[in-house]
Amino acid sequence: MRTARLIALAAASALALAACAPADKEPAASGSPAADGSLDTLTDGVLTIGTSDPGYEPWIVDNDPSTGKGFESAVAYAVAAELGFDADHVTWVPVTFDQIIAPGAKSFDVAINQVSISPERAENLDFSSSYYDTAQAVVTVEGSPVDDASSLADLRDARIGAMVGTTSLAVAQESIDPATDIQVFNDNDQVKQALQSGLVDAIVVDLPTALYITAAELDGGVLVGQLPAGDDPDQLGLVLDKGSALTGPVTDAVDALREDGTLADLEAEWLTDAAGAPVLK
Amino acid sequence: MPTTPPDGARPAWVPSERQRDRDAYRRTQTRRSTLVALVSTVVVAGLAVLGLVSSPGWPRVRQSFLDPDVAWASLPKIAEGLWLNVRVMAVCAVLIVVVAMLLALARTLRGPAFFPLRALATGYVDVFRGLPLILVLLLVGFGLPGLRLQGIPTSAVVLGGLALVLTYSAYVAEVFRAGIESVHPSQIASARSLGLTRGQTLRHVVLPQAWRRVVPPLLNDLVALSKDSGLISILGAVDAVRAAQIQTATYANFTPYVVAGVLFVLLTIPLTRFTDALARRSGWLGSQAGLAGAGAMR
Protein backbone atom coordinates (compact mmCIF):
# COMPACT_ATOMS: atom_id res chain seq x y z
CA MET A 1 0.00 0.00 0.00
CA ARG A 2 1.31 3.42 -1.03
CA THR A 3 0.37 5.25 2.15
CA ALA A 4 2.15 2.72 4.32
CA ARG A 5 5.31 3.15 2.27
CA LEU A 6 5.05 6.92 2.60
CA ILE A 7 4.72 6.67 6.37
CA ALA A 8 7.70 4.35 6.51
CA LEU A 9 9.71 6.81 4.42
CA ALA A 10 8.69 9.69 6.66
CA ALA A 11 9.65 7.74 9.77
CA ALA A 12 12.99 6.84 8.23
CA SER A 13 13.63 10.50 7.39
CA ALA A 14 12.81 11.55 10.93
CA LEU A 15 15.22 8.92 12.27
CA ALA A 16 17.91 10.09 9.87
CA LEU A 17 17.39 13.68 10.99
CA ALA A 18 17.64 12.66 14.61
CA ALA A 19 20.74 10.60 13.89
CA CYS A 20 22.59 13.44 12.20
CA ALA A 21 21.82 15.82 15.02
CA PRO A 22 24.98 16.20 17.07
CA ALA A 23 24.85 15.55 20.76
CA ASP A 24 26.04 18.23 23.15
CA LYS A 25 29.36 17.49 24.76
CA GLU A 26 29.04 16.85 28.47
CA PRO A 27 31.06 19.42 30.38
CA ALA A 28 33.70 17.65 32.39
CA ALA A 29 34.39 18.57 35.97
CA SER A 30 37.19 21.12 36.03
CA GLY A 31 40.15 19.83 37.94
CA SER A 32 43.55 21.28 38.66
CA PRO A 33 44.75 23.51 35.82
CA ALA A 34 47.28 21.57 33.80
CA ALA A 35 48.16 20.57 30.28
CA ASP A 36 47.56 16.92 31.09
CA GLY A 37 43.99 17.02 29.79
CA SER A 38 42.32 17.72 33.11
CA LEU A 39 40.77 20.89 31.67
CA ASP A 40 37.93 20.32 29.24
CA THR A 41 39.49 21.79 26.09
CA LEU A 42 38.61 21.02 22.47
CA THR A 43 41.80 19.00 22.10
CA ASP A 44 43.00 17.30 25.26
CA GLY A 45 46.04 19.01 26.69
CA VAL A 46 45.99 21.85 24.15
CA LEU A 47 44.45 25.30 24.55
CA THR A 48 42.93 26.56 21.29
CA ILE A 49 42.72 30.34 21.09
CA GLY A 50 40.77 32.24 18.46
CA THR A 51 41.62 35.68 17.14
CA SER A 52 40.87 37.67 14.02
CA ASP A 53 42.85 37.38 10.81
CA PRO A 54 44.38 39.86 10.18
CA GLY A 55 45.27 40.90 13.69
CA TYR A 56 46.29 44.50 14.09
CA GLU A 57 49.14 46.11 15.97
CA PRO A 58 49.58 46.83 18.79
CA TRP A 59 47.35 43.87 19.71
CA ILE A 60 49.06 41.29 17.47
CA VAL A 61 52.42 41.99 15.85
CA ASP A 62 52.96 41.05 12.17
CA ASN A 63 49.59 39.27 12.06
CA ASP A 64 51.16 36.26 13.78
CA PRO A 65 49.71 35.68 17.25
CA SER A 66 51.89 32.62 17.84
CA THR A 67 55.00 34.76 18.37
CA GLY A 68 53.75 36.08 21.69
CA LYS A 69 54.39 39.59 20.39
CA GLY A 70 51.68 42.21 20.75
CA PHE A 71 49.54 42.84 23.80
CA GLU A 72 46.76 40.31 23.19
CA SER A 73 49.15 37.61 22.06
CA ALA A 74 51.21 38.15 25.22
CA VAL A 75 48.11 38.16 27.44
CA ALA A 76 46.88 34.97 25.80
CA TYR A 77 50.16 33.16 26.53
CA ALA A 78 50.17 34.49 30.08
CA VAL A 79 46.62 33.21 30.63
CA ALA A 80 47.55 29.87 29.07
CA ALA A 81 50.57 29.59 31.35
CA GLU A 82 48.39 30.41 34.35
CA LEU A 83 46.07 27.57 33.30
CA GLY A 84 49.03 25.21 33.00
CA PHE A 85 49.57 25.20 29.23
CA ASP A 86 53.07 26.03 28.06
CA ALA A 87 53.59 27.82 24.73
CA ASP A 88 53.89 24.51 22.86
CA HIS A 89 50.42 23.53 24.00
CA VAL A 90 48.70 26.62 22.64
CA THR A 91 47.28 26.67 19.10
CA TRP A 92 45.69 29.60 17.31
CA VAL A 93 42.70 29.58 14.97
CA PRO A 94 41.54 32.54 12.88
CA VAL A 95 37.94 33.53 13.64
CA THR A 96 35.66 36.35 12.57
CA PHE A 97 33.57 38.28 15.07
CA ASP A 98 30.47 36.48 13.79
CA GLN A 99 32.16 33.13 14.43
CA ILE A 100 33.02 34.24 17.94
CA ILE A 101 29.39 35.01 18.76
CA ALA A 102 27.77 32.14 16.78
CA PRO A 103 25.76 29.72 18.93
CA GLY A 104 27.09 26.48 17.38
CA ALA A 105 30.10 24.40 18.33
CA LYS A 106 33.05 26.76 18.65
CA SER A 107 36.38 26.19 16.95
CA PHE A 108 38.22 27.68 19.94
CA ASP A 109 38.39 27.30 23.70
CA VAL A 110 38.79 31.02 24.29
CA ALA A 111 38.87 33.97 21.90
CA ILE A 112 40.85 37.16 22.40
CA ASN A 113 39.97 39.90 19.93
CA GLN A 114 39.30 43.20 21.70
CA VAL A 115 35.75 42.11 22.47
CA SER A 116 34.10 44.53 24.88
CA ILE A 117 32.14 43.08 27.75
CA SER A 118 28.50 44.16 27.77
CA PRO A 119 25.38 42.83 29.49
CA GLU A 120 23.62 42.35 26.12
CA ARG A 121 26.48 40.24 24.81
CA ALA A 122 26.72 38.33 28.06
CA GLU A 123 23.24 36.93 27.34
CA ASN A 124 24.80 34.82 24.59
CA LEU A 125 28.48 34.59 25.51
CA ASP A 126 30.67 33.96 28.51
CA PHE A 127 33.33 36.55 29.31
CA SER A 128 36.40 36.34 31.49
CA SER A 129 37.04 39.32 33.71
CA SER A 130 38.55 42.31 31.92
CA TYR A 131 42.20 42.10 30.89
CA TYR A 132 42.29 45.69 29.72
CA ASP A 133 40.19 48.80 30.22
CA THR A 134 40.37 51.07 27.23
CA ALA A 135 38.98 54.33 25.98
CA GLN A 136 37.95 55.37 22.50
CA ALA A 137 39.87 58.05 20.66
CA VAL A 138 39.38 60.31 17.64
CA VAL A 139 42.04 60.28 14.92
CA THR A 140 42.30 62.50 11.86
CA VAL A 141 44.94 63.60 9.37
CA GLU A 142 46.57 66.97 8.77
CA GLY A 143 44.52 69.05 6.38
CA SER A 144 41.21 67.58 7.47
CA PRO A 145 38.53 70.12 8.52
CA VAL A 146 38.79 68.90 12.11
CA ASP A 147 42.58 68.57 12.50
CA ASP A 148 42.49 71.39 15.08
CA ALA A 149 39.36 70.25 16.90
CA SER A 150 39.65 70.51 20.64
CA SER A 151 36.16 69.70 21.88
CA LEU A 152 33.29 67.36 21.14
CA ALA A 153 31.34 70.31 19.71
CA ASP A 154 34.08 70.87 17.10
CA LEU A 155 33.46 67.33 15.87
CA ARG A 156 29.69 67.55 15.55
CA ASP A 157 29.70 68.58 11.88
CA ALA A 158 32.51 66.23 10.90
CA ARG A 159 31.94 63.07 8.89
CA ILE A 160 32.98 60.31 11.28
CA GLY A 161 34.02 56.78 10.36
CA ALA A 162 34.19 53.69 12.56
CA MET A 163 34.37 49.91 12.27
CA VAL A 164 31.17 47.89 12.25
CA GLY A 165 30.05 46.31 15.49
CA THR A 166 32.69 47.99 17.64
CA THR A 167 32.34 49.91 20.85
CA SER A 168 34.07 52.72 18.92
CA LEU A 169 30.93 53.06 16.80
CA ALA A 170 28.60 53.06 19.80
CA VAL A 171 30.71 55.51 21.83
CA ALA A 172 31.18 57.83 18.84
CA GLN A 173 27.44 57.95 18.30
CA GLU A 174 26.79 58.55 21.96
CA SER A 175 29.40 61.17 22.85
CA ILE A 176 29.91 63.04 19.55
CA ASP A 177 26.37 62.52 18.21
CA PRO A 178 27.47 63.89 14.79
CA ALA A 179 25.09 65.77 12.50
CA THR A 180 25.64 63.32 9.61
CA ASP A 181 25.35 59.56 10.03
CA ILE A 182 28.51 57.81 11.13
CA GLN A 183 29.96 55.84 8.25
CA VAL A 184 30.56 52.22 9.08
CA PHE A 185 33.32 50.06 7.58
CA ASN A 186 34.19 46.37 7.62
CA ASP A 187 37.54 46.65 9.37
CA ASN A 188 40.01 49.19 10.65
CA ASP A 189 42.03 48.99 7.41
CA GLN A 190 39.05 50.35 5.51
CA VAL A 191 38.41 52.91 8.23
CA LYS A 192 41.97 54.18 7.79
CA GLN A 193 41.62 54.06 4.00
CA ALA A 194 38.42 56.12 4.19
CA LEU A 195 40.21 58.72 6.30
CA GLN A 196 43.09 58.91 3.83
CA SER A 197 40.74 59.08 0.82
CA GLY A 198 38.74 61.88 2.37
CA LEU A 199 35.55 59.80 2.59
CA VAL A 200 35.45 60.78 6.26
CA ASP A 201 37.00 63.66 8.21
CA ALA A 202 37.86 61.73 11.35
CA ILE A 203 37.71 58.18 12.66
CA VAL A 204 37.06 56.66 16.05
CA VAL A 205 39.11 53.66 17.21
CA ASP A 206 40.16 52.31 20.58
CA LEU A 207 42.93 54.27 22.23
CA PRO A 208 45.83 51.79 21.79
CA THR A 209 44.96 51.45 18.09
CA ALA A 210 44.67 55.25 17.81
CA LEU A 211 48.10 55.76 19.37
CA TYR A 212 49.60 53.13 17.13
CA ILE A 213 48.15 54.24 13.80
CA THR A 214 48.83 57.92 14.50
CA ALA A 215 52.45 57.20 15.25
CA ALA A 216 53.22 54.44 12.80
CA GLU A 217 50.67 54.10 10.02
CA LEU A 218 49.01 57.35 8.99
CA ASP A 219 50.76 60.03 6.98
CA GLY A 220 50.28 63.17 9.03
CA GLY A 221 48.05 61.39 11.54
CA VAL A 222 46.65 63.55 14.33
CA LEU A 223 45.30 62.18 17.60
CA VAL A 224 42.49 64.60 18.39
CA GLY A 225 41.81 63.16 21.83
CA GLN A 226 39.97 60.54 23.86
CA LEU A 227 36.23 60.33 24.07
CA PRO A 228 34.66 60.46 27.52
CA ALA A 229 33.98 56.92 28.68
CA GLY A 230 30.51 57.57 30.02
CA ASP A 231 29.28 55.64 33.03
CA ASP A 232 31.25 52.45 32.57
CA PRO A 233 34.64 52.11 30.90
CA ASP A 234 35.12 49.87 27.88
CA GLN A 235 36.44 46.57 29.23
CA LEU A 236 37.96 43.91 27.02
CA GLY A 237 37.33 40.30 27.98
CA LEU A 238 38.27 36.89 26.68
CA VAL A 239 35.25 35.24 25.08
CA LEU A 240 34.12 31.70 25.84
CA ASP A 241 31.15 29.62 24.76
CA LYS A 242 28.06 30.26 26.85
CA GLY A 243 28.24 27.94 29.85
CA SER A 244 31.81 26.85 29.12
CA ALA A 245 33.52 24.92 31.88
CA LEU A 246 36.61 27.03 31.23
CA THR A 247 35.02 30.38 32.10
CA GLY A 248 35.81 30.04 35.81
CA PRO A 249 39.45 28.97 35.41
CA VAL A 250 40.12 31.60 32.71
CA THR A 251 38.59 34.35 34.85
CA ASP A 252 40.70 33.20 37.83
CA ALA A 253 43.78 33.29 35.59
CA VAL A 254 43.07 36.85 34.38
CA ASP A 255 42.40 37.97 37.98
CA ALA A 256 45.70 36.42 39.12
CA LEU A 257 47.60 38.13 36.30
CA ARG A 258 46.07 41.47 37.23
CA GLU A 259 46.94 41.04 40.91
CA ASP A 260 50.56 40.01 40.39
CA GLY A 261 51.14 42.96 38.04
CA THR A 262 51.69 40.89 34.88
CA LEU A 263 48.94 42.68 32.96
CA ALA A 264 50.38 46.08 33.89
CA ASP A 265 53.84 44.93 32.74
CA LEU A 266 52.47 43.70 29.42
CA GLU A 267 50.61 46.98 28.94
CA ALA A 268 53.82 48.89 29.54
CA GLU A 269 55.64 46.64 27.11
CA TRP A 270 53.18 46.64 24.19
CA LEU A 271 50.85 49.60 24.49
CA THR A 272 51.96 53.19 24.11
CA ASP A 273 51.50 55.30 27.21
CA ALA A 274 48.16 57.05 26.81
CA ALA A 275 49.42 60.22 28.46
CA GLY A 276 49.19 63.11 26.01
CA ALA A 277 45.81 62.09 24.64
CA PRO A 278 43.48 64.63 26.26
CA VAL A 279 39.91 63.68 27.05
CA LEU A 280 37.55 65.71 24.84
CA LYS A 281 34.70 67.54 26.51
CA MET B 1 -34.33 19.23 -19.99
CA PRO B 2 -34.00 22.72 -21.50
CA THR B 3 -36.95 24.91 -20.69
CA THR B 4 -38.37 27.39 -23.16
CA PRO B 5 -38.41 30.99 -21.89
CA PRO B 6 -41.89 32.60 -21.97
CA ASP B 7 -40.98 35.08 -24.70
CA GLY B 8 -40.42 32.23 -27.10
CA ALA B 9 -36.76 32.97 -27.74
CA ARG B 10 -34.24 30.19 -28.21
CA PRO B 11 -33.76 28.15 -25.05
CA ALA B 12 -30.71 29.10 -22.91
CA TRP B 13 -27.87 26.58 -23.08
CA VAL B 14 -27.75 24.20 -20.19
CA PRO B 15 -25.01 21.58 -19.84
CA SER B 16 -26.14 18.06 -20.51
CA GLU B 17 -26.42 15.59 -17.69
CA ARG B 18 -23.21 13.90 -18.77
CA GLN B 19 -21.37 17.24 -18.80
CA ARG B 20 -22.63 17.96 -15.29
CA ASP B 21 -21.41 14.55 -14.16
CA ARG B 22 -18.04 15.25 -15.72
CA ASP B 23 -17.84 18.62 -13.98
CA ALA B 24 -18.82 17.09 -10.65
CA TYR B 25 -16.19 14.36 -11.08
CA ARG B 26 -13.51 16.94 -11.89
CA ARG B 27 -14.46 18.98 -8.83
CA THR B 28 -14.13 15.91 -6.60
CA GLN B 29 -10.75 15.14 -8.12
CA THR B 30 -9.59 18.72 -7.54
CA ARG B 31 -10.77 18.65 -3.94
CA ARG B 32 -8.99 15.35 -3.45
CA SER B 33 -5.74 16.72 -4.91
CA THR B 34 -5.94 19.80 -2.72
CA LEU B 35 -6.53 17.68 0.36
CA VAL B 36 -3.62 15.35 -0.42
CA ALA B 37 -1.35 18.33 -1.12
CA LEU B 38 -2.40 19.93 2.15
CA VAL B 39 -1.83 16.81 4.23
CA SER B 40 1.54 16.12 2.61
CA THR B 41 2.64 19.74 3.17
CA VAL B 42 1.64 19.62 6.83
CA VAL B 43 3.45 16.28 7.29
CA VAL B 44 6.66 17.48 5.60
CA ALA B 45 6.65 20.81 7.46
CA GLY B 46 5.87 19.02 10.72
CA LEU B 47 8.78 16.61 10.22
CA ALA B 48 11.14 19.48 9.39
CA VAL B 49 10.08 21.47 12.46
CA LEU B 50 10.26 18.35 14.63
CA GLY B 51 13.77 17.62 13.37
CA LEU B 52 14.77 21.21 14.06
CA VAL B 53 13.36 21.60 17.55
CA SER B 54 14.48 18.17 18.72
CA SER B 55 18.12 18.88 17.85
CA PRO B 56 20.20 19.42 20.99
CA GLY B 57 21.40 22.87 19.91
CA TRP B 58 17.88 24.13 19.18
CA PRO B 59 17.39 26.15 22.37
CA ARG B 60 20.67 27.98 21.70
CA VAL B 61 19.85 28.50 18.04
CA ARG B 62 16.36 29.75 18.85
CA GLN B 63 17.79 32.15 21.38
CA SER B 64 20.45 33.34 18.95
CA PHE B 65 18.39 33.62 15.78
CA LEU B 66 14.77 34.05 16.85
CA ASP B 67 14.79 36.29 19.90
CA PRO B 68 11.62 38.42 19.71
CA ASP B 69 12.98 41.12 22.03
CA VAL B 70 16.12 41.59 19.93
CA ALA B 71 14.05 41.48 16.72
CA TRP B 72 11.78 44.22 17.98
CA ALA B 73 14.65 46.33 19.31
CA SER B 74 16.62 46.11 16.06
CA LEU B 75 13.70 46.59 13.68
CA PRO B 76 13.67 50.44 13.52
CA LYS B 77 17.37 50.68 12.62
CA ILE B 78 17.12 47.91 10.04
CA ALA B 79 14.00 49.44 8.48
CA GLU B 80 15.83 52.76 8.28
CA GLY B 81 18.67 51.00 6.50
CA LEU B 82 16.23 49.30 4.13
CA TRP B 83 14.89 52.71 3.15
CA LEU B 84 18.40 53.55 1.94
CA ASN B 85 18.43 50.30 -0.08
CA VAL B 86 15.12 51.20 -1.67
CA ARG B 87 16.23 54.71 -2.63
CA VAL B 88 19.56 53.54 -4.01
CA MET B 89 17.81 50.79 -5.94
CA ALA B 90 15.21 53.13 -7.44
CA VAL B 91 17.67 55.77 -8.61
CA CYS B 92 20.23 53.27 -9.87
CA ALA B 93 17.61 51.20 -11.70
CA VAL B 94 16.58 54.19 -13.82
CA LEU B 95 20.18 55.14 -14.62
CA ILE B 96 21.07 51.54 -15.38
CA VAL B 97 18.23 51.11 -17.87
CA VAL B 98 19.22 54.30 -19.70
CA VAL B 99 22.95 53.51 -19.83
CA ALA B 100 22.33 49.87 -20.74
CA MET B 101 19.93 50.79 -23.55
CA LEU B 102 22.51 53.18 -25.03
CA LEU B 103 25.19 50.49 -24.76
CA ALA B 104 22.97 47.89 -26.38
CA LEU B 105 22.07 50.24 -29.23
CA ALA B 106 25.74 51.10 -29.71
CA ARG B 107 26.55 47.42 -29.95
CA THR B 108 23.85 46.72 -32.52
CA LEU B 109 24.78 49.61 -34.83
CA ARG B 110 25.91 48.43 -38.25
CA GLY B 111 28.35 50.10 -40.62
CA PRO B 112 32.12 50.59 -40.54
CA ALA B 113 31.85 54.22 -39.42
CA PHE B 114 30.41 53.10 -36.09
CA PHE B 115 33.26 50.70 -35.35
CA PRO B 116 34.86 52.84 -32.59
CA LEU B 117 31.50 53.16 -30.82
CA ARG B 118 30.85 49.41 -31.14
CA ALA B 119 34.32 48.57 -29.91
CA LEU B 120 34.00 50.95 -26.97
CA ALA B 121 30.63 49.50 -25.94
CA THR B 122 31.92 45.95 -26.31
CA GLY B 123 35.01 46.73 -24.28
CA TYR B 124 32.91 48.38 -21.55
CA VAL B 125 30.59 45.39 -21.29
CA ASP B 126 33.51 42.94 -21.27
CA VAL B 127 35.33 44.80 -18.51
CA PHE B 128 32.47 45.64 -16.16
CA ARG B 129 30.64 42.37 -16.58
CA GLY B 130 33.87 40.56 -15.79
CA LEU B 131 34.92 42.61 -12.76
CA PRO B 132 33.48 41.45 -9.44
CA LEU B 133 31.12 44.14 -8.15
CA ILE B 134 32.93 44.32 -4.85
CA LEU B 135 36.18 45.21 -6.63
CA VAL B 136 34.47 47.95 -8.63
CA LEU B 137 32.99 49.28 -5.38
CA LEU B 138 36.35 49.31 -3.61
CA LEU B 139 38.20 50.83 -6.55
CA VAL B 140 35.57 53.49 -7.25
CA GLY B 141 34.77 54.11 -3.60
CA PHE B 142 38.26 54.43 -2.19
CA GLY B 143 40.16 55.20 -5.39
CA LEU B 144 38.19 58.07 -6.96
CA PRO B 145 38.06 60.32 -3.87
CA GLY B 146 41.67 59.39 -3.16
CA LEU B 147 42.61 61.30 -6.31
CA ARG B 148 41.51 64.45 -4.46
CA LEU B 149 40.22 66.04 -7.66
CA GLN B 150 37.75 68.90 -7.60
CA GLY B 151 34.18 67.81 -8.10
CA ILE B 152 34.66 64.14 -7.23
CA PRO B 153 31.90 63.18 -4.79
CA THR B 154 32.97 61.91 -1.38
CA SER B 155 29.61 60.52 -0.41
CA ALA B 156 29.57 56.76 0.07
CA VAL B 157 26.08 56.54 -1.36
CA VAL B 158 26.92 58.44 -4.55
CA LEU B 159 30.18 56.56 -5.13
CA GLY B 160 28.53 53.23 -4.35
CA GLY B 161 25.67 54.06 -6.69
CA LEU B 162 28.16 54.89 -9.41
CA ALA B 163 29.83 51.50 -9.00
CA LEU B 164 26.44 49.77 -9.13
CA VAL B 165 25.47 51.61 -12.32
CA LEU B 166 28.83 50.80 -13.94
CA THR B 167 28.52 47.09 -13.22
CA TYR B 168 24.82 46.53 -13.68
CA SER B 169 24.53 48.51 -16.92
CA ALA B 170 26.98 46.02 -18.44
CA TYR B 171 24.75 43.08 -17.48
CA VAL B 172 21.54 44.79 -18.50
CA ALA B 173 23.04 45.94 -21.82
CA GLU B 174 23.50 42.29 -22.72
CA VAL B 175 19.90 41.56 -21.78
CA PHE B 176 18.74 44.37 -24.04
CA ARG B 177 21.01 43.26 -26.87
CA ALA B 178 19.65 39.73 -26.63
CA GLY B 179 16.13 41.16 -26.79
CA ILE B 180 16.91 43.33 -29.79
CA GLU B 181 18.63 40.56 -31.68
CA SER B 182 15.85 38.09 -30.93
CA VAL B 183 13.42 40.08 -33.07
CA HIS B 184 13.07 38.10 -36.27
CA PRO B 185 14.86 39.64 -39.32
CA SER B 186 11.61 39.40 -41.29
CA GLN B 187 10.16 42.06 -38.99
CA ILE B 188 12.90 44.46 -39.94
CA ALA B 189 12.65 43.53 -43.61
CA SER B 190 8.88 44.10 -43.54
CA ALA B 191 9.21 47.42 -41.77
CA ARG B 192 11.86 48.61 -44.20
CA SER B 193 9.78 47.45 -47.19
CA LEU B 194 6.88 49.52 -45.84
CA GLY B 195 9.14 52.54 -46.17
CA LEU B 196 10.18 53.01 -42.54
CA THR B 197 13.68 54.37 -42.04
CA ARG B 198 16.22 52.43 -39.95
CA GLY B 199 15.50 54.67 -36.97
CA GLN B 200 11.73 54.32 -37.31
CA THR B 201 12.06 50.55 -37.65
CA LEU B 202 14.06 50.44 -34.47
CA ARG B 203 11.68 52.69 -32.58
CA HIS B 204 8.32 51.34 -33.76
CA VAL B 205 9.01 47.70 -34.60
CA VAL B 206 12.15 46.31 -32.99
CA LEU B 207 12.33 47.97 -29.54
CA PRO B 208 8.66 47.41 -28.55
CA GLN B 209 9.00 43.70 -29.27
CA ALA B 210 12.43 43.50 -27.64
CA TRP B 211 11.13 45.27 -24.53
CA ARG B 212 8.42 42.64 -23.94
CA ARG B 213 10.97 39.87 -24.16
CA VAL B 214 13.43 41.41 -21.73
CA VAL B 215 11.00 42.29 -18.93
CA PRO B 216 11.36 38.98 -17.03
CA PRO B 217 15.19 38.98 -17.08
CA LEU B 218 15.14 42.70 -16.23
CA LEU B 219 13.08 41.96 -13.15
CA ASN B 220 15.68 39.38 -12.17
CA ASP B 221 18.36 42.03 -12.42
CA LEU B 222 16.24 44.49 -10.43
CA VAL B 223 15.82 41.99 -7.60
CA ALA B 224 19.55 41.25 -7.68
CA LEU B 225 20.18 45.00 -7.60
CA SER B 226 17.96 45.44 -4.56
CA LYS B 227 20.18 43.03 -2.69
CA ASP B 228 23.48 44.26 -4.10
CA SER B 229 22.51 47.82 -3.20
CA GLY B 230 23.57 46.72 0.28
CA LEU B 231 27.15 46.26 -0.89
CA ILE B 232 27.64 50.03 -0.82
CA SER B 233 27.85 49.51 2.93
CA ILE B 234 31.51 48.60 2.45
CA LEU B 235 32.04 52.28 1.59
CA GLY B 236 30.53 53.33 4.90
CA ALA B 237 26.83 53.78 4.19
CA VAL B 238 24.57 51.99 6.66
CA ASP B 239 22.02 49.91 4.76
CA ALA B 240 19.70 47.23 6.12
CA VAL B 241 22.34 44.49 6.18
CA ARG B 242 24.95 46.73 7.81
CA ALA B 243 22.40 47.97 10.34
CA ALA B 244 21.61 44.35 11.14
CA GLN B 245 25.33 43.63 11.48
CA ILE B 246 25.70 46.47 13.98
CA GLN B 247 22.73 45.22 16.00
CA THR B 248 24.07 41.67 15.82
CA ALA B 249 27.39 42.79 17.27
CA THR B 250 25.65 44.82 19.97
CA TYR B 251 23.56 41.93 21.23
CA ALA B 252 25.89 39.07 20.19
CA ASN B 253 22.69 37.67 18.72
CA PHE B 254 21.91 36.84 15.08
CA THR B 255 18.21 37.71 15.16
CA PRO B 256 18.76 41.07 13.39
CA TYR B 257 20.06 39.18 10.33
CA VAL B 258 16.83 37.19 10.22
CA VAL B 259 14.84 40.42 10.52
CA ALA B 260 16.77 41.95 7.60
CA GLY B 261 16.24 38.79 5.53
CA VAL B 262 12.49 38.87 6.12
CA LEU B 263 12.34 42.55 5.16
CA PHE B 264 14.23 41.90 1.90
CA VAL B 265 11.90 39.06 0.95
CA LEU B 266 8.92 41.26 1.77
CA LEU B 267 10.42 43.87 -0.53
CA THR B 268 10.97 41.61 -3.53
CA ILE B 269 7.70 39.65 -3.43
CA PRO B 270 5.48 42.69 -4.13
CA LEU B 271 7.97 43.70 -6.83
CA THR B 272 7.42 40.38 -8.60
CA ARG B 273 3.64 40.56 -8.21
CA PHE B 274 3.64 44.14 -9.48
CA THR B 275 5.57 43.18 -12.61
CA ASP B 276 3.29 40.21 -13.19
CA ALA B 277 0.23 42.44 -12.89
CA LEU B 278 1.76 44.98 -15.24
CA ALA B 279 2.56 42.27 -17.77
CA ARG B 280 -0.93 40.80 -17.51
CA ARG B 281 -2.55 44.20 -18.03
CA SER B 282 -0.40 44.82 -21.07
CA GLY B 283 -1.45 41.42 -22.36
CA TRP B 284 2.04 39.92 -22.34
CA LEU B 285 1.69 37.37 -19.65
CA GLY B 286 -0.34 34.24 -20.30
CA SER B 287 -1.18 35.48 -23.81
CA GLN B 288 -0.22 32.06 -25.16
CA ALA B 289 -2.94 30.38 -23.12
CA GLY B 290 -5.56 31.84 -25.47
CA LEU B 291 -4.00 30.16 -28.49
CA ALA B 292 -5.66 27.07 -29.88
CA GLY B 293 -3.63 24.00 -28.96
CA ALA B 294 -1.43 25.84 -26.46
CA GLY B 295 -3.45 25.06 -23.37
CA ALA B 296 -2.08 25.16 -19.91
CA MET B 297 1.36 23.65 -19.78
CA ARG B 298 1.51 20.75 -17.40
Side-chain angles (χ1 to χ4, degrees), chain A residues 2 10-11 13-14 17-18 21-24 97-99 101-104 106 118 120-125 141 159 164-166 169 181-186 190 193-199 241-242, chain B residues 32 43 47-48 50-52 54-57 60-61 63-65 67 80 138 141-143 145-148 153-156 159 233-238 242 245-246 248-254 257:
Chain A
R2 238 159 41 124
S13 317
L17 271 172
D24 261 343
F97 181 74
D98 278 352
Q99 285 173 313
I101 64 175
K106 300 268 200 279
S118 77
E120 290 91 349
R121 288 174 173 176
E123 298 264 308
N124 291 298
L125 302 171
V141 285
R159 293 170 305 157
V164 63
T166 55
L169 176 59
D181 287 343
I182 294 182
Q183 301 191 36
V184 185
F185 300 89
N186 278 337
Q190 287 183 354
Q193 185 61 50
L195 178 64
Q196 282 168 319
S197 300
L199 274 177
D241 195 9
K242 183 82 180 162
Chain B
R32 205 181 115 87
V43 167
L47 278 177
L50 198 72
L52 196 65
S54 66
S55 59
R60 281 293 303 277
V61 167
Q63 192 194 345
S64 279
F65 286 83
D67 183 325
E80 200 180 309
L138 288 170
F142 289 119
L147 295 174
R148 307 231 170 217
T154 53
S155 149
L159 288 165
S233 65
I234 64 169
L235 302 182
V238 179
R242 183 50 65 97
Q245 201 180 359
I246 294 170
T248 294
T250 307
Y251 293 102
N253 186 306
F254 289 87
Y257 286 149

Side-chain angles (χ1 to χ4, degrees), chain B residues 258-292:
Chain B
V258 177
V259 173
V262 169
L263 289 184
F264 268 105
V265 172
L266 289 181
L267 182 71
T268 49
I269 289 178
L271 205 64
T272 317
R273 295 296 162 268
F274 170 73
T275 323
D276 282 355
L278 195 76
R280 204 172 297 118
R281 219 175 40 198
S282 316
W284 306 340
L285 195 80
S287 55
Q288 290 184 350
L291 291 180

Side-chain angles (χ1 to χ4, degrees), chain B residues 130-145:
Chain B
L131 278 177
L133 174 56
I134 197 141
L135 282 186
V136 179
L137 271 164
L138 288 170
L139 292 175
V140 169
F142 289 119
L144 273 190

Side-chain angles (χ1 to χ4, degrees), chain A residues 202-233:
Chain A
I203 61 176
V204 177
V205 290
D206 59 72
L207 186 57
T209 304
L211 291 162
Y212 181 80
I213 65 176
T214 321
E217 294 192 329
L218 285 171
D219 255 357
V222 177
L223 181 65
V224 178
Q226 304 181 40
L227 292 175
D231 295 335
D232 35 12

